[in-house]
Amino acid sequence: MIPVSNYVDPAALEREMELLFRKGWQFVAMTDELANDQDFVCVDLPGTAIVVQNFAGSLRAFRNVCPHRLNLIQTEERGNRSLICRYHGWAFDGDGRPKTLPPRQGFAESRDDERVCLQRFHVASCGRFVFVSMEGAPPLLADYLGEFVPVLEQLSGAMGALTDVDTIHHAANWKLLAENVLECYHCGYVHPETFVKGLGIGKKPIADVRLDRGHSSSHFPKSPTARDALKAKAVAHLAGREFAHESFFHVHIFPNLFISSTEGTAFYVGHAIAVSAGETNLRTRFFAPGVDLDERAQARQDLMNKQGATLGKYVINEDRAILETVQRGMASANRPPLLGADEVRIEAFAAAYEAAIAG
């Protein structure tokens, strides 16, 4: 297991930023959020502010700091705006070079001088999932994702429109959010109404576990519930969906991306962004199923999308309440936690984490 001190010690987070988050590939956004010219998404990690922006159809990633007086350039989580600093009006092109320098600047450097250019990062996509690497010469994204390339591609095709985005703050270390979603042993205690009675998930052991390079997936099989007949009627318009399964399907892309499908009728993408050793911002994205519907069925699905996002965030907040008390427990623990057979994906996460932190 990961040492308990690594969940509470700011020095451990600094090491994670250096050896884990500034190496390899990090999820930043969905292509849905970057579809139009000048669309952008920002991700702020401790010590590194990242912006990914669409420049006439090409995605580019930069350190989101103006080289002039070190102002943040884009200040919202997402939006549509030219890459221009609000302080002195420095505007940048898709290569990170200044397009305009306001009059009276008195700078001798040329537009190609790295001192006046933004630091550029690598950006690549797998399906609809956009990743950034801060390494000078990163591995190919396909090599980093390994066996999960086709999984992300399949999910990208199965998901429909992005229906809801939000950010939920947790007073807990980012690793606790990752470990929590890798098992459903807790579901009967934390989600008795939402998961167990509502979805029929949590009574059966984890199944179909797949592990590769720190990434993992599994199915949490469904048990019959009293609501099955009503639910079948409610989702009858989705009967022809290609991505159908009698389970809660969950994917973890190391280190901090979570993707789930509830029987192929609803999809969720979670992104745990470390704020400090004891704080995490969880960015949530909910998606409709990718099924062509007539007007009447679409109206029904629109209502289900709203209900699904509301339920999903309710479940997240059930977990948040527990994880915040776990964080407090970590601060006073004097021995490592225990793992059972259903927590095999947590063990794999810990092994990948330790390998990365070891350098």
Side-chain angles (χ1 to χ4, degrees), residues 169-173 176-177 179-181 183 185-192 314-330:
H169 182 77
H170 289 57
N173 186 275
L176 293 182
L177 277 71
E179 293 167 347
N180 177 72
V181 297
E183 50 91 359
Y185 178 41
H186 71 279
C187 291
Y189 301 91
V190 181
H191 313 298
Y314 187 88
V315 170
I316 289 167
N317 279 304
E318 288 179 325
D319 281 326
R320 180 187 57 78
I322 289 294
L323 295 178
E324 291 183 350
T325 60
V326 174
Q327 182 69 28
R328 291 162 57 191
M330 287 281 186

PDB file of all heavy atoms in Angstrom, residues 169-173 176-177 179-181 183 185-192 314-330:
ATOM      1  N   HIS A 169     -15.660  20.235  -4.903  1.00  0.00           N
ATOM      2  CA  HIS A 169     -14.467  20.293  -4.054  1.00  0.00           C
ATOM      3  C   HIS A 169     -14.525  19.215  -2.974  1.00  0.00           C
ATOM      4  O   HIS A 169     -15.570  18.989  -2.359  1.00  0.00           O
ATOM      5  CB  HIS A 169     -14.347  21.668  -3.398  1.00  0.00           C
ATOM      6  CG  HIS A 169     -13.137  21.827  -2.553  1.00  0.00           C
ATOM      7  ND1 HIS A 169     -11.884  22.032  -3.078  1.00  0.00           N
ATOM      8  CD2 HIS A 169     -12.975  21.788  -1.194  1.00  0.00           C
ATOM      9  CE1 HIS A 169     -11.008  22.136  -2.108  1.00  0.00           C
ATOM     10  NE2 HIS A 169     -11.631  21.980  -0.950  1.00  0.00           N
ATOM     11  N   HIS A 170     -13.399  18.548  -2.753  1.00  0.00           N
ATOM     12  CA  HIS A 170     -13.266  17.540  -1.707  1.00  0.00           C
ATOM     13  C   HIS A 170     -12.135  17.930  -0.758  1.00  0.00           C
ATOM     14  O   HIS A 170     -11.038  18.274  -1.220  1.00  0.00           O
ATOM     15  CB  HIS A 170     -12.910  16.166  -2.300  1.00  0.00           C
ATOM     16  CG  HIS A 170     -14.011  15.507  -3.062  1.00  0.00           C
ATOM     17  ND1 HIS A 170     -14.639  16.087  -4.147  1.00  0.00           N
ATOM     18  CD2 HIS A 170     -14.590  14.282  -2.903  1.00  0.00           C
ATOM     19  CE1 HIS A 170     -15.543  15.256  -4.615  1.00  0.00           C
ATOM     20  NE2 HIS A 170     -15.538  14.157  -3.881  1.00  0.00           N
ATOM     21  N   ALA A 171     -12.390  17.883   0.523  1.00  0.00           N
ATOM     22  CA  ALA A 171     -11.331  18.077   1.519  1.00  0.00           C
ATOM     23  C   ALA A 171     -10.657  16.731   1.755  1.00  0.00           C
ATOM     24  O   ALA A 171     -10.697  16.156   2.854  1.00  0.00           O
ATOM     25  CB  ALA A 171     -11.896  18.652   2.807  1.00  0.00           C
ATOM     26  N   ALA A 172     -10.039  16.206   0.700  1.00  0.00           N
ATOM     27  CA  ALA A 172      -9.408  14.879   0.732  1.00  0.00           C
ATOM     28  C   ALA A 172      -8.330  14.819  -0.333  1.00  0.00           C
ATOM     29  O   ALA A 172      -8.412  15.500  -1.361  1.00  0.00           O
ATOM     30  CB  ALA A 172     -10.452  13.785   0.499  1.00  0.00           C
ATOM     31  N   ASN A 173      -7.326  13.991  -0.102  1.00  0.00           N
ATOM     32  CA  ASN A 173      -6.245  13.783  -1.056  1.00  0.00           C
ATOM     33  C   ASN A 173      -6.776  13.139  -2.332  1.00  0.00           C
ATOM     34  O   ASN A 173      -7.678  12.296  -2.296  1.00  0.00           O
ATOM     35  CB  ASN A 173      -5.175  12.892  -0.409  1.00  0.00           C
ATOM     36  CG  ASN A 173      -3.944  12.729  -1.267  1.00  0.00           C
ATOM     37  OD1 ASN A 173      -3.891  11.871  -2.144  1.00  0.00           O
ATOM     38  ND2 ASN A 173      -2.936  13.554  -1.015  1.00  0.00           N
ATOM     39  N   LEU A 176      -7.313   9.314  -2.603  1.00  0.00           N
ATOM     40  CA  LEU A 176      -8.491   8.711  -1.976  1.00  0.00           C
ATOM     41  C   LEU A 176      -9.662   8.668  -2.949  1.00  0.00           C
ATOM     42  O   LEU A 176     -10.431   7.706  -2.957  1.00  0.00           O
ATOM     43  CB  LEU A 176      -8.878   9.490  -0.716  1.00  0.00           C
ATOM     44  CG  LEU A 176      -7.897   9.420   0.445  1.00  0.00           C
ATOM     45  CD1 LEU A 176      -8.430  10.207   1.638  1.00  0.00           C
ATOM     46  CD2 LEU A 176      -7.612   7.978   0.851  1.00  0.00           C
ATOM     47  N   LEU A 177      -9.786   9.688  -3.786  1.00  0.00           N
ATOM     48  CA  LEU A 177     -10.855   9.672  -4.795  1.00  0.00           C
ATOM     49  C   LEU A 177     -10.612   8.556  -5.800  1.00  0.00           C
ATOM     50  O   LEU A 177     -11.554   7.864  -6.218  1.00  0.00           O
ATOM     51  CB  LEU A 177     -10.929  11.019  -5.515  1.00  0.00           C
ATOM     52  CG  LEU A 177     -11.716  12.133  -4.824  1.00  0.00           C
ATOM     53  CD1 LEU A 177     -10.998  12.653  -3.588  1.00  0.00           C
ATOM     54  CD2 LEU A 177     -11.988  13.277  -5.787  1.00  0.00           C
ATOM     55  N   GLU A 179      -8.862   5.706  -5.341  1.00  0.00           N
ATOM     56  CA  GLU A 179      -9.051   4.391  -4.726  1.00  0.00           C
ATOM     57  C   GLU A 179     -10.528   4.080  -4.483  1.00  0.00           C
ATOM     58  O   GLU A 179     -10.965   2.937  -4.633  1.00  0.00           O
ATOM     59  CB  GLU A 179      -8.264   4.339  -3.414  1.00  0.00           C
ATOM     60  CG  GLU A 179      -6.757   4.383  -3.621  1.00  0.00           C
ATOM     61  CD  GLU A 179      -5.987   4.641  -2.339  1.00  0.00           C
ATOM     62  OE1 GLU A 179      -6.599   5.028  -1.329  1.00  0.00           O
ATOM     63  OE2 GLU A 179      -4.759   4.464  -2.356  1.00  0.00           O
ATOM     64  N   ASN A 180     -11.281   5.095  -4.132  1.00  0.00           N
ATOM     65  CA  ASN A 180     -12.695   4.894  -3.821  1.00  0.00           C
ATOM     66  C   ASN A 180     -13.481   4.317  -4.996  1.00  0.00           C
ATOM     67  O   ASN A 180     -14.334   3.447  -4.818  1.00  0.00           O
ATOM     68  CB  ASN A 180     -13.308   6.222  -3.384  1.00  0.00           C
ATOM     69  CG  ASN A 180     -14.787   6.114  -3.116  1.00  0.00           C
ATOM     70  OD1 ASN A 180     -15.213   5.531  -2.117  1.00  0.00           O
ATOM     71  ND2 ASN A 180     -15.592   6.674  -4.003  1.00  0.00           N
ATOM     72  N   VAL A 181     -13.189   4.804  -6.213  1.00  0.00           N
ATOM     73  CA  VAL A 181     -13.973   4.368  -7.372  1.00  0.00           C
ATOM     74  C   VAL A 181     -13.499   3.036  -7.935  1.00  0.00           C
ATOM     75  O   VAL A 181     -14.116   2.502  -8.866  1.00  0.00           O
ATOM     76  CB  VAL A 181     -13.959   5.437  -8.482  1.00  0.00           C
ATOM     77  CG1 VAL A 181     -14.628   6.709  -7.997  1.00  0.00           C
ATOM     78  CG2 VAL A 181     -12.541   5.731  -8.976  1.00  0.00           C
ATOM     79  N   GLU A 183     -13.422   0.228  -6.311  1.00  0.00           N
ATOM     80  CA  GLU A 183     -14.116  -0.895  -5.673  1.00  0.00           C
ATOM     81  C   GLU A 183     -15.551  -0.491  -5.351  1.00  0.00           C
ATOM     82  O   GLU A 183     -15.867   0.695  -5.292  1.00  0.00           O
ATOM     83  CB  GLU A 183     -13.388  -1.337  -4.395  1.00  0.00           C
ATOM     84  CG  GLU A 183     -13.059  -0.201  -3.436  1.00  0.00           C
ATOM     85  CD  GLU A 183     -14.111   0.077  -2.386  1.00  0.00           C
ATOM     86  OE1 GLU A 183     -15.165  -0.608  -2.384  1.00  0.00           O
ATOM     87  OE2 GLU A 183     -13.899   0.986  -1.573  1.00  0.00           O
ATOM     88  N   TYR A 185     -17.067  -2.386  -2.760  1.00  0.00           N
ATOM     89  CA  TYR A 185     -17.254  -3.005  -1.455  1.00  0.00           C
ATOM     90  C   TYR A 185     -17.966  -2.037  -0.511  1.00  0.00           C
ATOM     91  O   TYR A 185     -18.744  -2.437   0.362  1.00  0.00           O
ATOM     92  CB  TYR A 185     -15.875  -3.406  -0.926  1.00  0.00           C
ATOM     93  CG  TYR A 185     -15.824  -4.018   0.446  1.00  0.00           C
ATOM     94  CD1 TYR A 185     -16.773  -4.943   0.871  1.00  0.00           C
ATOM     95  CD2 TYR A 185     -14.795  -3.689   1.328  1.00  0.00           C
ATOM     96  CE1 TYR A 185     -16.704  -5.511   2.142  1.00  0.00           C
ATOM     97  CE2 TYR A 185     -14.716  -4.249   2.588  1.00  0.00           C
ATOM     98  CZ  TYR A 185     -15.677  -5.155   2.995  1.00  0.00           C
ATOM     99  OH  TYR A 185     -15.611  -5.705   4.249  1.00  0.00           O
ATOM    100  N   HIS A 186     -17.727  -0.737  -0.715  1.00  0.00           N
ATOM    101  CA  HIS A 186     -18.335   0.275   0.151  1.00  0.00           C
ATOM    102  C   HIS A 186     -19.778   0.600  -0.233  1.00  0.00           C
ATOM    103  O   HIS A 186     -20.467   1.291   0.527  1.00  0.00           O
ATOM    104  CB  HIS A 186     -17.509   1.568   0.103  1.00  0.00           C
ATOM    105  CG  HIS A 186     -17.609   2.312  -1.199  1.00  0.00           C
ATOM    106  ND1 HIS A 186     -16.880   1.975  -2.318  1.00  0.00           N
ATOM    107  CD2 HIS A 186     -18.357   3.395  -1.569  1.00  0.00           C
ATOM    108  CE1 HIS A 186     -17.167   2.804  -3.302  1.00  0.00           C
ATOM    109  NE2 HIS A 186     -18.060   3.676  -2.881  1.00  0.00           N
ATOM    110  N   CYS A 187     -20.228   0.130  -1.383  1.00  0.00           N
ATOM    111  CA  CYS A 187     -21.520   0.592  -1.913  1.00  0.00           C
ATOM    112  C   CYS A 187     -22.694   0.270  -0.986  1.00  0.00           C
ATOM    113  O   CYS A 187     -23.616   1.079  -0.836  1.00  0.00           O
ATOM    114  CB  CYS A 187     -21.765  -0.012  -3.292  1.00  0.00           C
ATOM    115  SG  CYS A 187     -20.655   0.654  -4.564  1.00  0.00           S
ATOM    116  N   GLY A 188     -22.659  -0.893  -0.358  1.00  0.00           N
ATOM    117  CA  GLY A 188     -23.749  -1.267   0.520  1.00  0.00           C
ATOM    118  C   GLY A 188     -23.865  -0.397   1.749  1.00  0.00           C
ATOM    119  O   GLY A 188     -24.948  -0.287   2.339  1.00  0.00           O
ATOM    120  N   TYR A 189     -22.774   0.273   2.125  1.00  0.00           N
ATOM    121  CA  TYR A 189     -22.754   1.094   3.327  1.00  0.00           C
ATOM    122  C   TYR A 189     -22.885   2.588   3.011  1.00  0.00           C
ATOM    123  O   TYR A 189     -23.505   3.338   3.759  1.00  0.00           O
ATOM    124  CB  TYR A 189     -21.462   0.840   4.111  1.00  0.00           C
ATOM    125  CG  TYR A 189     -21.333  -0.612   4.513  1.00  0.00           C
ATOM    126  CD1 TYR A 189     -20.680  -1.524   3.699  1.00  0.00           C
ATOM    127  CD2 TYR A 189     -21.901  -1.082   5.695  1.00  0.00           C
ATOM    128  CE1 TYR A 189     -20.579  -2.857   4.040  1.00  0.00           C
ATOM    129  CE2 TYR A 189     -21.813  -2.414   6.049  1.00  0.00           C
ATOM    130  CZ  TYR A 189     -21.154  -3.306   5.217  1.00  0.00           C
ATOM    131  OH  TYR A 189     -21.071  -4.628   5.556  1.00  0.00           O
ATOM    132  N   VAL A 190     -22.298   3.001   1.888  1.00  0.00           N
ATOM    133  CA  VAL A 190     -22.305   4.418   1.531  1.00  0.00           C
ATOM    134  C   VAL A 190     -23.443   4.751   0.561  1.00  0.00           C
ATOM    135  O   VAL A 190     -23.991   5.852   0.592  1.00  0.00           O
ATOM    136  CB  VAL A 190     -20.944   4.811   0.919  1.00  0.00           C
ATOM    137  CG1 VAL A 190     -20.913   6.282   0.548  1.00  0.00           C
ATOM    138  CG2 VAL A 190     -19.814   4.505   1.892  1.00  0.00           C
ATOM    139  N   HIS A 191     -23.805   3.778  -0.296  1.00  0.00           N
ATOM    140  CA  HIS A 191     -24.831   4.026  -1.321  1.00  0.00           C
ATOM    141  C   HIS A 191     -25.973   3.001  -1.255  1.00  0.00           C
ATOM    142  O   HIS A 191     -26.338   2.416  -2.284  1.00  0.00           O
ATOM    143  CB  HIS A 191     -24.205   3.970  -2.714  1.00  0.00           C
ATOM    144  CG  HIS A 191     -22.936   4.746  -2.865  1.00  0.00           C
ATOM    145  ND1 HIS A 191     -22.865   6.112  -2.696  1.00  0.00           N
ATOM    146  CD2 HIS A 191     -21.672   4.334  -3.188  1.00  0.00           C
ATOM    147  CE1 HIS A 191     -21.612   6.516  -2.910  1.00  0.00           C
ATOM    148  NE2 HIS A 191     -20.873   5.452  -3.197  1.00  0.00           N
ATOM    149  N   PRO A 192     -26.558   2.743  -0.111  1.00  0.00           N
ATOM    150  CA  PRO A 192     -27.571   1.678  -0.022  1.00  0.00           C
ATOM    151  C   PRO A 192     -28.814   1.954  -0.863  1.00  0.00           C
ATOM    152  O   PRO A 192     -29.397   1.015  -1.424  1.00  0.00           O
ATOM    153  CB  PRO A 192     -27.911   1.634   1.469  1.00  0.00           C
ATOM    154  CG  PRO A 192     -27.544   2.989   1.988  1.00  0.00           C
ATOM    155  CD  PRO A 192     -26.350   3.394   1.190  1.00  0.00           C
ATOM    156  N   TYR A 314     -25.302  13.329  -6.569  1.00  0.00           N
ATOM    157  CA  TYR A 314     -25.715  12.915  -5.228  1.00  0.00           C
ATOM    158  C   TYR A 314     -24.809  11.788  -4.741  1.00  0.00           C
ATOM    159  O   TYR A 314     -24.350  11.785  -3.588  1.00  0.00           O
ATOM    160  CB  TYR A 314     -27.171  12.461  -5.249  1.00  0.00           C
ATOM    161  CG  TYR A 314     -27.747  12.173  -3.885  1.00  0.00           C
ATOM    162  CD1 TYR A 314     -28.333  13.184  -3.126  1.00  0.00           C
ATOM    163  CD2 TYR A 314     -27.695  10.889  -3.347  1.00  0.00           C
ATOM    164  CE1 TYR A 314     -28.855  12.927  -1.863  1.00  0.00           C
ATOM    165  CE2 TYR A 314     -28.206  10.618  -2.082  1.00  0.00           C
ATOM    166  CZ  TYR A 314     -28.787  11.641  -1.347  1.00  0.00           C
ATOM    167  OH  TYR A 314     -29.293  11.381  -0.097  1.00  0.00           O
ATOM    168  N   VAL A 315     -24.529  10.817  -5.623  1.00  0.00           N
ATOM    169  CA  VAL A 315     -23.631   9.708  -5.277  1.00  0.00           C
ATOM    170  C   VAL A 315     -22.223  10.227  -4.977  1.00  0.00           C
ATOM    171  O   VAL A 315     -21.575   9.791  -4.014  1.00  0.00           O
ATOM    172  CB  VAL A 315     -23.596   8.677  -6.423  1.00  0.00           C
ATOM    173  CG1 VAL A 315     -22.483   7.646  -6.203  1.00  0.00           C
ATOM    174  CG2 VAL A 315     -24.940   7.971  -6.562  1.00  0.00           C
ATOM    175  N   ILE A 316     -21.749  11.157  -5.803  1.00  0.00           N
ATOM    176  CA  ILE A 316     -20.425  11.729  -5.577  1.00  0.00           C
ATOM    177  C   ILE A 316     -20.345  12.385  -4.209  1.00  0.00           C
ATOM    178  O   ILE A 316     -19.341  12.255  -3.487  1.00  0.00           O
ATOM    179  CB  ILE A 316     -20.086  12.738  -6.691  1.00  0.00           C
ATOM    180  CG1 ILE A 316     -19.817  11.993  -8.004  1.00  0.00           C
ATOM    181  CG2 ILE A 316     -18.878  13.606  -6.313  1.00  0.00           C
ATOM    182  CD1 ILE A 316     -19.771  12.882  -9.219  1.00  0.00           C
ATOM    183  N   ASN A 317     -21.398  13.075  -3.819  1.00  0.00           N
ATOM    184  CA  ASN A 317     -21.388  13.733  -2.511  1.00  0.00           C
ATOM    185  C   ASN A 317     -21.526  12.742  -1.363  1.00  0.00           C
ATOM    186  O   ASN A 317     -21.034  13.004  -0.256  1.00  0.00           O
ATOM    187  CB  ASN A 317     -22.472  14.806  -2.460  1.00  0.00           C
ATOM    188  CG  ASN A 317     -22.032  16.091  -3.129  1.00  0.00           C
ATOM    189  OD1 ASN A 317     -21.015  16.678  -2.773  1.00  0.00           O
ATOM    190  ND2 ASN A 317     -22.781  16.530  -4.130  1.00  0.00           N
ATOM    191  N   GLU A 318     -22.178  11.590  -1.621  1.00  0.00           N
ATOM    192  CA  GLU A 318     -22.158  10.530  -0.605  1.00  0.00           C
ATOM    193  C   GLU A 318     -20.720  10.068  -0.374  1.00  0.00           C
ATOM    194  O   GLU A 318     -20.279   9.879   0.768  1.00  0.00           O
ATOM    195  CB  GLU A 318     -23.026   9.352  -1.058  1.00  0.00           C
ATOM    196  CG  GLU A 318     -24.518   9.613  -1.012  1.00  0.00           C
ATOM    197  CD  GLU A 318     -25.325   8.423  -1.501  1.00  0.00           C
ATOM    198  OE1 GLU A 318     -24.867   7.713  -2.438  1.00  0.00           O
ATOM    199  OE2 GLU A 318     -26.422   8.184  -0.955  1.00  0.00           O
ATOM    200  N   ASP A 319     -19.982   9.866  -1.473  1.00  0.00           N
ATOM    201  CA  ASP A 319     -18.574   9.479  -1.358  1.00  0.00           C
ATOM    202  C   ASP A 319     -17.743  10.584  -0.726  1.00  0.00           C
ATOM    203  O   ASP A 319     -16.861  10.325   0.108  1.00  0.00           O
ATOM    204  CB  ASP A 319     -18.003   9.154  -2.745  1.00  0.00           C
ATOM    205  CG  ASP A 319     -18.400   7.776  -3.236  1.00  0.00           C
ATOM    206  OD1 ASP A 319     -18.522   6.861  -2.403  1.00  0.00           O
ATOM    207  OD2 ASP A 319     -18.580   7.615  -4.457  1.00  0.00           O
ATOM    208  N   ARG A 320     -18.002  11.824  -1.116  1.00  0.00           N
ATOM    209  CA  ARG A 320     -17.210  12.941  -0.604  1.00  0.00           C
ATOM    210  C   ARG A 320     -17.254  13.002   0.928  1.00  0.00           C
ATOM    211  O   ARG A 320     -16.224  13.193   1.583  1.00  0.00           O
ATOM    212  CB  ARG A 320     -17.726  14.257  -1.196  1.00  0.00           C
ATOM    213  CG  ARG A 320     -16.955  15.491  -0.707  1.00  0.00           C
ATOM    214  CD  ARG A 320     -17.614  16.779  -1.178  1.00  0.00           C
ATOM    215  NE  ARG A 320     -18.998  16.856  -0.740  1.00  0.00           N
ATOM    216  CZ  ARG A 320     -19.389  17.178   0.487  1.00  0.00           C
ATOM    217  NH1 ARG A 320     -18.486  17.463   1.423  1.00  0.00           N
ATOM    218  NH2 ARG A 320     -20.665  17.226   0.800  1.00  0.00           N
ATOM    219  N   ALA A 321     -18.449  12.829   1.480  1.00  0.00           N
ATOM    220  CA  ALA A 321     -18.580  12.896   2.940  1.00  0.00           C
ATOM    221  C   ALA A 321     -17.711  11.849   3.630  1.00  0.00           C
ATOM    222  O   ALA A 321     -17.063  12.126   4.648  1.00  0.00           O
ATOM    223  CB  ALA A 321     -20.045  12.711   3.336  1.00  0.00           C
ATOM    224  N   ILE A 322     -17.672  10.636   3.064  1.00  0.00           N
ATOM    225  CA  ILE A 322     -16.843   9.573   3.635  1.00  0.00           C
ATOM    226  C   ILE A 322     -15.354   9.863   3.428  1.00  0.00           C
ATOM    227  O   ILE A 322     -14.533   9.715   4.344  1.00  0.00           O
ATOM    228  CB  ILE A 322     -17.219   8.211   3.023  1.00  0.00           C
ATOM    229  CG1 ILE A 322     -18.581   7.755   3.534  1.00  0.00           C
ATOM    230  CG2 ILE A 322     -16.147   7.164   3.319  1.00  0.00           C
ATOM    231  CD1 ILE A 322     -18.613   7.450   5.024  1.00  0.00           C
ATOM    232  N   LEU A 323     -14.994  10.277   2.224  1.00  0.00           N
ATOM    233  CA  LEU A 323     -13.575  10.493   1.927  1.00  0.00           C
ATOM    234  C   LEU A 323     -12.980  11.611   2.776  1.00  0.00           C
ATOM    235  O   LEU A 323     -11.790  11.575   3.123  1.00  0.00           O
ATOM    236  CB  LEU A 323     -13.396  10.806   0.440  1.00  0.00           C
ATOM    237  CG  LEU A 323     -13.754   9.658  -0.507  1.00  0.00           C
ATOM    238  CD1 LEU A 323     -13.591  10.082  -1.953  1.00  0.00           C
ATOM    239  CD2 LEU A 323     -12.923   8.422  -0.216  1.00  0.00           C
ATOM    240  N   GLU A 324     -13.783  12.583   3.126  1.00  0.00           N
ATOM    241  CA  GLU A 324     -13.270  13.652   3.982  1.00  0.00           C
ATOM    242  C   GLU A 324     -13.006  13.154   5.401  1.00  0.00           C
ATOM    243  O   GLU A 324     -12.067  13.626   6.053  1.00  0.00           O
ATOM    244  CB  GLU A 324     -14.239  14.838   3.962  1.00  0.00           C
ATOM    245  CG  GLU A 324     -14.250  15.529   2.591  1.00  0.00           C
ATOM    246  CD  GLU A 324     -15.142  16.753   2.537  1.00  0.00           C
ATOM    247  OE1 GLU A 324     -15.913  16.990   3.498  1.00  0.00           O
ATOM    248  OE2 GLU A 324     -15.079  17.473   1.513  1.00  0.00           O
ATOM    249  N   THR A 325     -13.783  12.189   5.869  1.00  0.00           N
ATOM    250  CA  THR A 325     -13.479  11.608   7.183  1.00  0.00           C
ATOM    251  C   THR A 325     -12.316  10.629   7.089  1.00  0.00           C
ATOM    252  O   THR A 325     -11.536  10.483   8.041  1.00  0.00           O
ATOM    253  CB  THR A 325     -14.706  10.913   7.795  1.00  0.00           C
ATOM    254  OG1 THR A 325     -15.155   9.857   6.944  1.00  0.00           O
ATOM    255  CG2 THR A 325     -15.845  11.896   8.005  1.00  0.00           C
ATOM    256  N   VAL A 326     -12.159   9.961   5.933  1.00  0.00           N
ATOM    257  CA  VAL A 326     -10.972   9.117   5.736  1.00  0.00           C
ATOM    258  C   VAL A 326      -9.713   9.982   5.764  1.00  0.00           C
ATOM    259  O   VAL A 326      -8.705   9.603   6.368  1.00  0.00           O
ATOM    260  CB  VAL A 326     -11.059   8.342   4.405  1.00  0.00           C
ATOM    261  CG1 VAL A 326      -9.753   7.595   4.140  1.00  0.00           C
ATOM    262  CG2 VAL A 326     -12.223   7.371   4.409  1.00  0.00           C
ATOM    263  N   GLN A 327      -9.776  11.147   5.132  1.00  0.00           N
ATOM    264  CA  GLN A 327      -8.622  12.048   5.143  1.00  0.00           C
ATOM    265  C   GLN A 327      -8.246  12.425   6.573  1.00  0.00           C
ATOM    266  O   GLN A 327      -7.060  12.435   6.940  1.00  0.00           O
ATOM    267  CB  GLN A 327      -8.928  13.314   4.334  1.00  0.00           C
ATOM    268  CG  GLN A 327      -7.781  14.305   4.244  1.00  0.00           C
ATOM    269  CD  GLN A 327      -6.619  13.796   3.406  1.00  0.00           C
ATOM    270  OE1 GLN A 327      -6.812  12.990   2.499  1.00  0.00           O
ATOM    271  NE2 GLN A 327      -5.414  14.252   3.693  1.00  0.00           N
ATOM    272  N   ARG A 328      -9.229  12.701   7.381  1.00  0.00           N
ATOM    273  CA  ARG A 328      -8.962  13.020   8.786  1.00  0.00           C
ATOM    274  C   ARG A 328      -8.383  11.808   9.521  1.00  0.00           C
ATOM    275  O   ARG A 328      -7.496  11.941  10.371  1.00  0.00           O
ATOM    276  CB  ARG A 328     -10.239  13.509   9.452  1.00  0.00           C
ATOM    277  CG  ARG A 328     -10.703  14.864   8.948  1.00  0.00           C
ATOM    278  CD  ARG A 328     -12.157  15.134   9.276  1.00  0.00           C
ATOM    279  NE  ARG A 328     -12.427  15.044  10.711  1.00  0.00           N
ATOM    280  CZ  ARG A 328     -13.648  15.020  11.226  1.00  0.00           C
ATOM    281  NH1 ARG A 328     -14.711  15.043  10.434  1.00  0.00           N
ATOM    282  NH2 ARG A 328     -13.811  14.949  12.539  1.00  0.00           N
ATOM    283  N   GLY A 329      -8.879  10.602   9.177  1.00  0.00           N
ATOM    284  CA  GLY A 329      -8.331   9.394   9.782  1.00  0.00           C
ATOM    285  C   GLY A 329      -6.887   9.156   9.384  1.00  0.00           C
ATOM    286  O   GLY A 329      -6.061   8.726  10.201  1.00  0.00           O
ATOM    287  N   MET A 330      -6.576   9.446   8.102  1.00  0.00           N
ATOM    288  CA  MET A 330      -5.203   9.294   7.629  1.00  0.00           C
ATOM    289  C   MET A 330      -4.243  10.146   8.455  1.00  0.00           C
ATOM    290  O   MET A 330      -3.103   9.753   8.723  1.00  0.00           O
ATOM    291  CB  MET A 330      -5.110   9.704   6.150  1.00  0.00           C
ATOM    292  CG  MET A 330      -5.719   8.718   5.176  1.00  0.00           C
ATOM    293  SD  MET A 330      -4.584   7.338   4.899  1.00  0.00           S
ATOM    294  CE  MET A 330      -5.449   6.444   3.603  1.00  0.00           C
TER     295      MET A 330
END
